[in-house]
Amino acid sequence: MVKNVLIVGGGIAGMTLAIQLKRAGINAEIVELSTDWTVIGVGISMQGPALRALGTIGVLDQVIDKGFGYSFFNACDADGNITGTVDLPSLNGPDRPATMAIMRQELHEVLKQAVAEGGAPAQLGVTVDALDDVGGHVDVEFSDGSAGSYDLVVGADGAHSKIRKMLFGPDCTADYTGQAVWRVTVPRPPDVLGRQSYFGARNKAGVNPVSQDRMYIYMVQNLPEWTRLADDRLPVILRHLLAEFGGHVGRARDRIADPRDIVYRPIYSLILPPPWYRGRVLLIGDAAHTTTPQMGSGAGLAIEDSVVLAELLGSGRPVADVLEDFMTRRYERCRMTVENSRQLGEWEKDVAAPNADPVGLFDKSIRILAQPI
């Protein structure tokens, strides 16, 4: 029976797990490398399955209050003309949105507050230096020189996970997909009521509303090799890349001026073969399945991982049985999402690809994810 759990990483997966473990009566402790425990970013999509999981941990209404809900996704041409629509499944009752977007900082603060209210301690500026699984527990050495012993260690430390490298070797890394993503926050026009993707000749752009007065523009750039850019160059480069787009993207383009509003990142992808654990050390979230942003489901998968793991650990069954059941419930769902999301990206890189059906694949994938976890 698991009584105390160390969670490495204080992001979405790690905080969700800490919240739900405490609700199940299991002691949870977070170590987070960041010293200020904040998050960099603009908006994030939360599909119906993610909202359903947030409801399970008791924070759904707080998240909805801080975001913007909607029920559809529109595919558009470069000028903003609608070419296809996906009606998003509503999984949380008629009074809740089918899906929504929210500023990452807002989501982070809701989860951080819930962690504090649940009483899970978080050590900041600290990570794991060594793990020793001795069978009945895991002995841990921390970067600040301290040590501890835990019934289970969970690596929730993201796409470039240190715990993953400890378990599976330094070559077990996420792949760069040949695309980069830009996001910038701008004012929301009143008629932007849901997510829209604009498919251009070279790249894909779009808009996603995150509040009553804000939305973010996103652009997925086909880029064989990613290079870091100086912050002061970001606005002019992004405006240039968005020049092929009209509609809401084109009208907002010239308002992009402050580099502090822009996030520019390479896109990585990984689905770790099962199992995602060795002994009493397990990976969840992006550490086990790094998905591209095309389906807007990465955060949802991470939240679901934490909900399922906490449920299984709360059963009091042996750790080996819990981890085996966790893989049975999570692997195929995560594999499908990672692979289908990456396929959408491949079609964006080759607009003339035979049998390309991005709207159909997105719709099919969302219907699968709507099934219970």
Side-chain angles (χ1 to χ4, degrees):
M1 181 175 179
V2 170
K3 296 182 179 179
N4 67 330
V5 177
L6 174 67
I7 303 167
V8 185
I12 291 173
M15 286 192 287
T16 303
L17 182 59
I19 295 164
Q20 201 65 356
L21 285 176
K22 294 296 285 187
R23 288 162 61 100
I26 298 171
N27 291 325
E29 176 184 333
I30 295 173
V31 290
E32 164 56 42
L33 185 58
S34 169
T35 56
D36 52 9
W37 204 8
T38 57
V39 62
I40 298 173
V42 285
I44 184 171
S45 292
M46 306 293 290
Q47 310 284 359
L51 300 182
R52 178 174 59 196
L54 289 172
T56 301
I57 69 170
V59 300
L60 176 57
D61 289 335
Q62 298 95 303
V63 172
I64 289 174
D65 287 345
K66 294 178 179 297
F68 191 97
Y70 51 90
S71 61
F72 66 90
F73 160 73
N74 283 336
C76 307
D77 63 21
D79 293 323
N81 301 306
I82 297 173
T83 59
T85 297
V86 175
D87 293 319
L88 301 169
S90 180
L91 307 180
N92 300 283
D95 298 330
R96 269 69 174 258
T99 191
M100 62 174 296
I102 185 173
M103 294 296 289
R104 288 175 182 267
Q105 296 90 336
E106 299 277 16
L107 175 62
H108 184 86
E109 288 303 315
V110 169
L111 293 174
K112 190 162 72 169
Q113 180 64 32
V115 170
E117 291 173 355
Q123 298 183 64
L124 304 183
V126 178
T127 189
V128 169
D129 273 356
L131 297 168
D132 185 13
D133 189 332
V134 296
H137 60 272
V138 182
D139 292 330
V140 180
E141 296 179 11
F142 296 104
S143 57
D144 64 354
S146 63
S149 181
Y150 302 88
D151 297 327
L152 181 70
V153 174
V154 179
D157 52 341
H160 305 293
S161 169
K162 180 178 181 180
I163 303 301
R164 184 177 65 224
K165 292 179 180 179
M166 286 183 172
L167 294 185
F168 300 105
D171 295 331
C172 187
T173 59
D175 298 327
Y176 174 61
T177 65
Q179 292 184 309
V181 63
W182 298 71
R183 297 183 180 94
V184 57
T185 308
V186 297
R188 181 187 75 88
D191 57 343
V192 174
L193 299 174
R195 180 183 165 202
Q196 303 172 6
S197 284
Y198 292 35
F199 292 86
R202 294 182 297 277
N203 299 304
K204 182 187 80 172
V207 295
N208 206 359
V210 293
S211 71
Q212 293 301 316
D213 59 359
R214 290 184 293 177
M215 67 179 184
Y216 67 91
I217 294 176
Y218 58 91
M219 198 201 72
V220 179
Q221 179 186 8
N222 297 320
L223 195 66
E225 293 185 10
W226 186 80
T227 56
R228 190 175 300 277
L229 301 173
D231 287 348
D232 60 358
R233 296 182 58 208
L234 295 179
V236 66
I237 293 173
L238 181 54
R239 291 196 301 268
H240 172 73
L241 290 170
L242 292 173
E244 67 174 307
F245 299 101
H248 290 296
V249 173
R251 286 189 286 274
R253 179 176 53 239
D254 292 339
R255 305 184 71 168
I256 300 171
D258 191 339
R260 292 173 297 181
D261 294 332
I262 300 173
V263 174
Y264 166 62
R265 294 287 187 270
I267 296 176
Y268 293 96
S269 180
L270 167 75
I271 180 66
L272 188 68
W276 300 337
Y277 60 88
R278 290 289 184 268
R280 288 175 174 256
V281 184
L282 168 71
L283 300 175
I284 65 171
D286 282 356
H289 45 79
T290 307
T291 187
T292 67
Q294 274 77 5
M295 283 175 48
S297 296
L301 291 181
I303 296 167
E304 287 182 350
D305 280 355
S306 298
V307 168
V308 170
L309 180 59
E311 173 196 326
L312 292 170
L313 289 172
S315 70
R317 296 166 58 224
V319 171
D321 293 344
V322 164
L323 297 183
E324 183 177 348
D325 285 354
F326 176 80
M327 292 306 308
T328 298
R329 288 178 60 178
R330 297 305 298 157
Y331 178 72
E332 283 300 324
R333 185 178 181 89
C334 295
R335 180 203 59 77
M336 180 278 296
T337 306
V338 170
E339 292 182 356
N340 286 5
S341 191
R342 184 156 187 169
Q343 178 62 70
L344 292 171
E346 291 302 309
W347 283 337
E348 291 167 6
K349 290 190 289 184
D350 182 8
V351 296
N355 303 317
D357 182 17
V359 173
L361 183 60
F362 181 84
D363 184 48
K364 175 184 175 182
S365 302
I366 290 298
R367 304 298 158 183
I368 293 173
L369 289 174
Q371 300 303 310
I373 59 174

